[in-house]
Amino acid sequence: MALWSERRPSDDFHRVLAPDGSLVGDPPELGDDELKRLYRSFLQTRRLEEKLLRMQRRGEISIIARSLGEEAVALGSAAALAAGDWCFPTYRQTAARAYWGSPVDRSVASLMGAETETVNEHLPPDEEGEGVVFTPPYVPLTVNVTNAVGSAMADRFRGTDTVSLAYVGEGSTSEGDFHEALNFAGVYDAPVVTVCQNNQWAISVPAHRQTAAETFAQKADAHGVPHERVDGNDVLAMYEATKEAVKNARDGGGPAFIEAVTYRRVEHNTADEPGVYRDEEEAEYWAERDPLDRFDAYLRREGVIDDDWVEAVGADVDAEVQAGVERAREVPESDPERMFDNHLHGEPSWTARHQRAELRAEQRGENPFTDFDGSGL
Amino acid sequence: MSGRDTDGEAGGDAADGERAGGGGETEMNLVTAVNETLARELHRDEAVRLLGYDLGPIGGVYRATDGLYETFGEDRVIDTPLSENGILGTAVGMAMRGERPVPEIQFLGFFYPAFGQFMYALAKMHKRSGGALDVPVTVRVPYGGGIKSSEYHSESTETFFVHTPGVRVVCPSTPRETKGLLAASVRSDDPVVFLEPKKIYRGFEEPVPDGDFTLPLDEARVVREGGDVTLIAWGAMVRRAETAADRVDADVEILDLRSLSPIDVDAVLDSVRRTGRCVVLHEARRTLGLGAELSALINEYALDSLRAPVKRATGYDVHFPGHQVEDAYMPDAQRAQYAVEAVMDYEF
């Protein structure tokens, strides 16, 4: 029975919490409030994704990619950033946004298919400067890593101490963009941390089919970028490793690469059926190594949380998720003309004006093809 | 989510009209105009950074950045690893943070590895962010044939960029135009692909304004007025259009498109309505070259004015040939002349 998709044996990585929640290393210096904030973000991510899955099944959302069982990767790493830092996520880092208070309503409205312009109009983003700046989530993978490196190069050249953080999956470390990005990061000593969320499955392709290298972390070696392999289901280890990398980058020490080993227990996205290509017993093995259960056991043992607190926080995040979903549902359907917005600055071109008028005519049920002299409709 | 403020000068207003800062003029060639403009923009706005391969001490393979590394230093004139996609992708990241990068791709034929970043990030980030993020990147790319270079160094594939929304495509045809259009491109808040006709980098000199000088990014230029036929060209082909117009027995109006995207459709239609005939002259392959779009626009919106079908004097639908036969591939004044004569002789 294959329980491990990689060549490298399990448990050969940096770890603070064992799967049963017992300490196997020194925990990072985090106060009770900070530990509770991590826990709350965990819970919010899980409840939000459960809600989104139900909405997807009802047809309110066309497709979602869940992070169940992988939340500690994004959560621990994003928590190591500071306000003003820049984060370049993909679609499987819901927990990073939850930690930094990214509004639920805006992401739900986007998942419901609203044009960004409509979302901005009805659910304006918060004022800048209070948290980490998130770019729009990238769907074409590893494009974000190169952009993050450019962002970090700008800070290096200006002498500012902002750090950029990008996420990449183990599958997309096979893309050329990944290597180009890490190469630039190394050459320019860019203050950028790249976190590889190695969940061992890139849709249907297992990790050992992505590379003959022993680990994904070692890919950074070729680019002179320091790297570490971390238990991605251990939120404290993720926090600790990223904290060190971020501090080093902020202090002028250059880039870092973190391979976070986790497992994609659920489908790639809601259009995927993993039973077709893998042994689902793997997921059971990993369910026993759930990152929230592990953190929960630790915090209870330490006396940081108890049943009452967990119940109260659960009710609290449920209410927040529900309120966000309600606000998203109130966003009116996007005006089709929004598709023409935000392509170029300045006066719209002849083509843009005429095509917009054509669409408008079509929307009114009129024939849009009646202009034969270019004077417009 | 917007990046830091620059000096406030940058903005879409550069596209509004021709602006010259006064002062005299200096005779120079096209590549010198590129160099002078880059130096001026680097000096004017500290957010401007050049990056690319061989830009630094060597000054670029065509010396377009000669001396800039020495003047502005390695953080403003950035020699990069050999990685077109890396150059474009890091430029986008810098631009998202308020920088105004001016990457160079050494030859248009080397652009293809950068298409991922071009399509996914450069052209789309502004729209994807709902307008919250600007990506003011001007990608300079020497293009075109006719200098006995090799196959991959001679292509004209502007169609790929013109087909992509969210990006301007600009192509100058003279030293003066180069200064005005490049300065406006760098100052524009839009991504711009700036195609430099390397065949005429050193082809001729003309007076170029010394001071601050920009040209609109969305207006074609009437090179000469005429009543019989509209000859549309851009880049290195404008000179050939002029030679053809001198030789042919017809009153030719020459339109230099300048902005390949968006197209100044009004200028095209106005001219063709007056002349009733049109020839498009371009180096690119014919099928789905920009001539196809121009011909389609004229067909859709000015058919009543036409006294002959639109003809396209272009390259052929082949890979760019080796230099023994490149002259046979390249449209020249003779090919343009044939096309003009053909539409002049045509009768419905």
Side-chain angles (χ1 to χ4, degrees), chain A residues 38-368:
Chain A
L38 285 171
Y39 193 101
R40 189 186 191 284
S41 308
F42 242 128
L43 214 52
Q44 180 177 325
T45 303
R46 216 158 261 201
R47 300 287 172 86
L48 174 60
E49 290 186 355
E50 286 164 9
K51 179 77 183 172
L52 291 172
L53 185 64
R54 289 196 296 276
M55 291 174 75
Q56 193 274 335
R57 291 194 172 141
R58 278 201 303 268
E60 278 188 274
I61 287 171
S62 66
I63 196 165
I64 61 155
R66 294 189 290 157
S67 62
L68 181 69
E70 306 174 48
E71 301 96 332
V73 176
L75 181 56
S77 53
L81 292 171
D85 287 339
W86 275 60
C87 184
F88 296 71
T90 74
Y91 42 74
R92 218 183 294 279
Q93 284 87 37
T94 312
R97 290 173 176 278
Y99 182 84
W100 284 102
S102 184
V104 169
D105 50 12
R106 285 175 52 83
S107 37
V108 176
S110 294
L111 287 167
M112 292 174 79
E115 289 288 290
T116 312
E117 287 81 2
T118 309
V119 179
N120 288 347
E121 192 181 328
H122 295 274
L123 302 168
D126 290 344
E127 288 300 306
E128 282 178 46
E130 289 170 18
V132 163
V133 183
F134 284 89
T135 66
Y138 285 68
V139 177
L141 300 167
T142 60
V143 173
N144 60 324
V145 186
T146 321
N147 293 171
V149 172
S151 161
M153 284 168 66
D155 287 306
R156 208 317 247 110
F157 294 140
R158 294 171 192 167
T160 42
D161 68 355
T162 304
V163 173
S164 300
L165 185 146
Y167 292 98
V168 66
E170 88 287 350
S172 32
T173 64
S174 304
E175 294 277 3
D177 234 322
F178 170 77
H179 294 280
E180 295 182 283
L182 257 63
N183 190 41
F184 274 64
V187 166
Y188 297 102
D189 263 336
V192 58
V193 178
T194 304
V195 174
C196 173
Q197 186 163 339
N198 173 11
N199 65 15
Q200 305 190 47
W201 288 93
I203 308 186
S204 69
V205 177
H208 62 77
R209 181 63 71 162
Q210 295 294 345
T211 181
E214 208 175 346
T215 71
F216 290 93
Q218 76 190 51
K219 290 190 176 194
D221 257 343
H223 306 295
V225 174
H227 53 83
E228 187 169 14
R229 199 157 178 272
V230 180
D231 183 347
N233 283 12
D234 177 352
V235 70
L236 295 183
M238 279 308 300
Y239 174 82
E240 197 171 65
T242 316
K243 190 81 180 171
E244 193 182 323
V246 166
K247 182 181 186 310
N248 185 57
R250 207 183 302 287
D251 293 345
F257 182 66
I258 294 169
E259 178 190 348
V261 183
T262 182
Y263 188 84
R264 201 193 77 214
R265 273 159 53 191
V266 293
E267 66 290 328
H268 164 70
N269 61 29
T270 44
D272 178 38
E273 176 45 62
V276 175
Y277 53 78
R278 70 180 185 185
D279 180 353
E280 289 295 62
E281 281 183 59
E282 277 183 31
E284 288 168 29
Y285 171 87
W286 283 91
E288 289 162 18
R289 283 150 186 78
D290 182 83
L292 179 54
D293 290 349
R294 185 183 307 199
F295 192 45
D296 181 273
Y298 168 70
L299 292 184
R300 285 174 192 268
R301 194 172 309 128
E302 294 290 311
V304 179
I305 61 172
D306 56 22
D307 282 345
D308 289 347
W309 184 85
V310 171
E311 195 178 327
V313 167
D316 192 35
V317 296
D318 279 343
E320 190 176 325
V321 166
Q322 190 56 37
V325 168
E326 289 309 323
R327 283 194 299 277
R329 282 176 174 149
E330 281 163 23
V331 172
E333 195 140 308
S334 290
D335 183 333
E337 273 189 61
R338 294 279 78 79
M339 75 170 83
F340 288 104
D341 292 349
N342 292 314
H343 284 92
L344 295 175
H345 294 80
E347 284 298 304
S349 68
W350 189 99
T351 309
R353 290 196 314 274
H354 281 70
Q355 292 185 7
R356 192 188 277 259
E358 285 179 21
L359 172 69
R360 209 177 289 154
E362 202 172 70
Q363 296 286 315
R364 286 194 304 257
E366 294 168 12
N367 190 329

Side-chain angles (χ1 to χ4, degrees), chain B residues 260-338:
Chain B
L260 311 190
S261 184
I263 297 169
D264 184 356
V265 182
D266 277 329
V268 172
L269 296 181
D270 288 349
S271 179
V272 174
R273 280 193 202 102
R274 278 185 285 102
T275 60
R277 300 177 184 90
C278 181
V279 168
V280 184
L281 177 65
H282 65 60
E283 288 183 47
R285 297 185 269 270
R286 185 172 305 156
T287 299
L288 287 181
L290 200 43
E293 180 62 26
L294 290 163
S295 179
L297 283 165
I298 292 163
N299 172 59
E300 279 190 281
Y301 299 108
L303 187 68
D304 292 353
S305 310
L306 285 181
R307 286 188 273 180
V310 176
K311 277 290 178 190
R312 293 172 286 163
T314 67
Y316 302 107
D317 289 357
V318 297
H319 285 294
F320 200 92
H323 60 74
Q324 283 187 12
V325 291
E326 77 169 323
D327 288 345
Y329 170 89
M330 290 279 286
D332 57 4
Q334 181 61 58
R335 194 175 296 166
Q337 189 179 340
Y338 282 140

